[in-house]
């Protein structure tokens, strides 16, 4: 059988959840049979670009999607698909905005058009725009997503989701028999707890003897960093040995740094930026703190459970992610002091080996990659 090429459509190939997920699959498929190419919406080089090219993938660029350039963008999309008839499978990870790419693909005769949901946005009211703790830019984006999502089903031939909550959000509860859950699977061997790697990270960062609270995620409103800092501030009053490691980047990073400084926490909070050594970092965490406003099915929580560390997460996150007993779900209605108290108690919980549980729950990449590969090969 000749090799087929699948066009994966994303914003960029940096180290976000959807991007990391698709790279996990890309590394584990048989690339003599299925090859991934990427249509991206940022011109700057992403963290995974070099690896994609090294594995034989191609990278194409579109301008960022914005209301001001909608018609120019749509014209460029149509021109792209008219010029690239080699793609008969387009797999879009743009959530509600997938309808734009898939519409252009449909008009150019692409038979298999996959819409993949990676988020489940909570309902948004106009009052949210006046919340002093909100970022209007992010809320506008979320509101647009919520208003446009009904367009996706008209353009897609197949529906994928990282979990049931994400699938119900984009495709509707009535259509839950139409979409396929594609697990945010990982290479479990990379995340199995290693005391050697944990100590190496601690020594490098000068954190030997400290209790490390960790968070991985881009700095935007969805991840609720402002509340996370409030929680850590209260926790540091209960436990002088704690430090907070924040992995990621984003528009809100300067604002978060300002808050850290205003609370005199500069010596206790490390901004680690975008990192390629996530397994080593997670191995060093003593607890994962994750008070997001909403998520689909966060890959980082699967990784943290594989590393065997306790997790404090907001109860807005789908319970599908609870594949071990390591997660405690807390309401965002609770105060920072209440979160801190429960977090401090959880710091006494020992790390443990969860590899067998993760594999049994269906999150090991090997089998999942084989299933996705078979789908691509047999869909036409």
């Amino acid at each position: 059988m000749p090799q087929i090429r699948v066009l994966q459509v994303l914003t960029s190939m940096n180290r976000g959840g959807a991007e990391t997920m698709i790279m996990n699959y890309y590394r584990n498929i048989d690339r003599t049979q299925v090859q991934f190419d990427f249509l991206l919406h940022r011109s700057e080089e992403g963290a995974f670009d070099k690896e994609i090219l090294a594995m034989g993938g191609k990278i194409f660029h579109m301008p960022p999607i914005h209301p001001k350039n909608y018609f120019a963008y749509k014209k460029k999309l149509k021109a792209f698909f008219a010029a690239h008839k080699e793609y008969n499978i387009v797999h879009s990870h743009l959530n509600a905005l997938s309808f734009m790419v898939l519409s252009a693909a449909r008009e150019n005769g692409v038979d298999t058009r996959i819409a993949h949901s990676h988020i489940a946005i909570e309902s948004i009211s106009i009052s949210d725009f006046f919340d002093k703790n909100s970022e209007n830019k992010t809320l506008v984006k979320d509101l647009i997503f919520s208003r446009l999502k009904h367009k996706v089903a008209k353009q897609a031939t197949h529906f994928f989701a990282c979990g049931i909550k994400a699938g119900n959000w984009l495709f509707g509860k009535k259509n839950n028999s139409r979409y396929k859950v594609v697990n945010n699977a990982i290479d479990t061997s990379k995340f199995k707890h290693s005391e050697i790697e944990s100590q190496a990270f601690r020594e490098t960062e000068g954190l030997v003897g400290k209790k490390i609270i960790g968070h991985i995620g881009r700095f935007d409103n969805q991840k609720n960093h402002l509340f996370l800092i409030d929680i850590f501030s209260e926790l540091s009053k209960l436990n002088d040995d704690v430090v907070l490691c924040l992995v990621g980047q984003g528009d809100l990073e300067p604002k978060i740094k300002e808050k850290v400084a205003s609370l005199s926490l500069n010596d206790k909070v490390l901004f680690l930026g975008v990192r390629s050594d996530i397994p080593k970092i997670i191995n060093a965490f003593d607890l994962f703190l994750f008070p997001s406003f909403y998520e689909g099915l966060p890959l980082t929580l699967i990784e943290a459970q594989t590393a065997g560390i306790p997790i404090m997460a907001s109860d807005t996150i789908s319970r599908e992610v609870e594949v071990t007993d390591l997660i405690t779900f807390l309401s965002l209605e609770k105060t920072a002091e209440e979160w801190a108290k429960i977090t401090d108690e959880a710091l006494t919980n020992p790390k443990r080996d969860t590899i067998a549980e993760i594999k049994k729950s269906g999150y090991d990449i090997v089998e999942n990659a084989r299933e996705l590969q078979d789908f691509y090969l047999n869909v036409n």
Side-chain angles (χ1 to χ4, degrees), residues 35-49:
Q35 178 59 258
F36 287 180
D37 295 331
F38 293 80
L39 182 63
L40 307 178
H41 292 77
R42 295 289 185 272
S43 58
E44 62 270 18
E45 182 178 335
F48 293 123
D49 285 13

Side-chain angles (χ1 to χ4, degrees), residues 73-135:
Y73 171 75
K74 190 174 181 180
K75 184 178 180 179
K76 287 185 177 182
L77 268 181
K78 288 183 177 180
F80 174 84
F81 284 110
H84 291 276
K85 295 295 186 181
E86 68 269 28
Y87 298 113
N88 201 41
I89 302 176
V90 175
H91 190 159
S92 178
H93 304 267
L94 299 180
N95 299 302
L97 295 181
S98 288
F99 84 91
M100 300 175 72
V101 172
L102 299 182
S103 174
R106 178 181 59 80
E107 292 176 14
N108 281 277
V110 177
D111 291 330
T112 301
R113 305 180 300 277
I114 306 165
H116 199 140
S117 179
H118 293 275
I119 60 174
I121 299 173
E122 298 298 311
S123 60
I124 301 171
S125 67
I126 195 66
S127 63
D128 292 325
F129 289 87
F130 300 97
D131 185 335
K132 64 181 180 180
N133 292 321
S134 295
E135 287 296 313

Side-chain angles (χ1 to χ4, degrees), residues 75-338:
K75 184 178 180 179
K76 287 185 177 182
L77 268 181
K78 288 183 177 180
F80 174 84
F81 284 110
H84 291 276
K85 295 295 186 181
E86 68 269 28
Y87 298 113
N88 201 41
I89 302 176
V90 175
H91 190 159
S92 178
H93 304 267
L94 299 180
N95 299 302
L97 295 181
S98 288
F99 84 91
M100 300 175 72
V101 172
L102 299 182
S103 174
R106 178 181 59 80
E107 292 176 14
N108 281 277
V110 177
D111 291 330
T112 301
R113 305 180 300 277
I114 306 165
H116 199 140
S117 179
H118 293 275
I119 60 174
I121 299 173
E122 298 298 311
S123 60
I124 301 171
S125 67
I126 195 66
S127 63
D128 292 325
F129 289 87
F130 300 97
D131 185 335
K132 64 181 180 180
N133 292 321
S134 295
E135 287 296 313
N136 287 355
K137 181 179 178 181
T138 302
L139 286 170
V140 168
K141 179 189 73 174
D142 293 348
L143 187 62
I144 290 172
F145 278 12
S146 296
R147 295 294 184 269
L148 294 178
K149 62 182 181 179
H150 71 280
K151 295 177 176 289
V152 175
K154 297 177 182 179
Q155 306 301 333
T157 59
H158 295 79
F159 308 87
F160 287 2
C162 63
I164 294 172
K165 190 173 182 179
N168 287 347
W169 176 79
L170 186 55
F171 308 122
K173 292 182 179 180
K174 293 181 180 179
N175 292 323
N176 59 12
S177 62
R178 293 180 65 185
Y179 64 79
K180 172 182 174 61
V181 173
V182 177
N183 288 334
N184 285 351
I186 65 172
D187 183 344
T188 54
S189 65
K190 290 184 178 180
F191 289 90
K192 183 177 181 179
H193 180 65
S194 164
E195 194 58 35
I196 294 174
E197 288 202 344
S198 175
Q199 283 301 114
F201 175 80
R202 289 169 181 273
E203 290 171 5
T204 300
E205 300 294 338
L207 301 177
V208 175
K210 299 293 185 181
K211 289 287 187 180
I212 302 177
I213 310 299
H215 181 273
I216 299 172
R218 66 190 181 281
F219 288 86
D220 73 10
N221 187 67
Q222 174 193 344
K223 302 298 182 180
N224 204 9
H225 280 87
L226 291 172
F227 186 53
L228 189 154
I229 298 302
D230 285 334
I231 297 168
F232 180 74
S233 178
E234 295 300 325
L235 179 61
S236 65
K237 297 173 186 177
L238 300 174
N239 191 329
D240 191 52
D241 290 332
V242 294
V243 295
L244 175 63
C245 289
L246 300 175
V247 180
Q249 63 183 13
D251 293 341
L252 288 186
E253 187 173 349
K255 185 172 183 178
I256 304 306
K257 287 182 175 179
E258 287 178 13
K259 178 156 189 166
V260 167
S262 71
L263 294 171
S264 301
L265 294 172
N266 282 336
D267 61 336
K268 288 181 173 289
V269 179
L270 281 71
F271 290 83
L272 300 180
V274 175
R275 299 284 292 252
S276 60
D277 55 347
I278 295 299
K280 179 189 292 186
I281 294 173
I282 288 184
N283 254 292
F285 291 169
D286 292 294
L287 184 139
F288 202 97
L289 189 56
F290 205 72
S292 293
F293 284 119
Y294 61 85
E295 294 284 345
L297 196 149
L299 181 71
T300 51
L301 295 194
I302 299 297
E303 293 170 344
Q305 287 177 93
T306 307
I309 62 176
I311 300 164
M312 296 289 123
S314 52
D315 63 4
T316 56
I317 298 170
S318 173
R319 296 298 175 104
E320 298 166 81
V321 78
E322 188 180 13
V323 295
T324 70
D325 61 1
L326 290 169
I327 301 183
T328 299
F329 292 99
L330 299 175
S331 171
L332 291 176
E333 297 297 319
K334 288 185 178 294
T335 65
E337 292 90 340
E338 290 174 303

Side-chain angles (χ1 to χ4, degrees), residues 20-58:
T20 300
M21 180 278 292
I22 204 64
M23 288 302 294
N24 285 341
Y25 278 91
Y26 189 22
R27 297 180 188 112
N28 285 275
I29 61 169
D30 181 350
R31 292 188 296 279
T32 65
Q33 297 188 65
V34 179
Q35 178 59 258
F36 287 180
D37 295 331
F38 293 80
L39 182 63
L40 307 178
H41 292 77
R42 295 289 185 272
S43 58
E44 62 270 18
E45 182 178 335
F48 293 123
D49 285 13
K50 285 185 173 63
E51 185 180 359
I52 289 169
L53 296 172
M55 290 194 291
K58 300 175 183 177

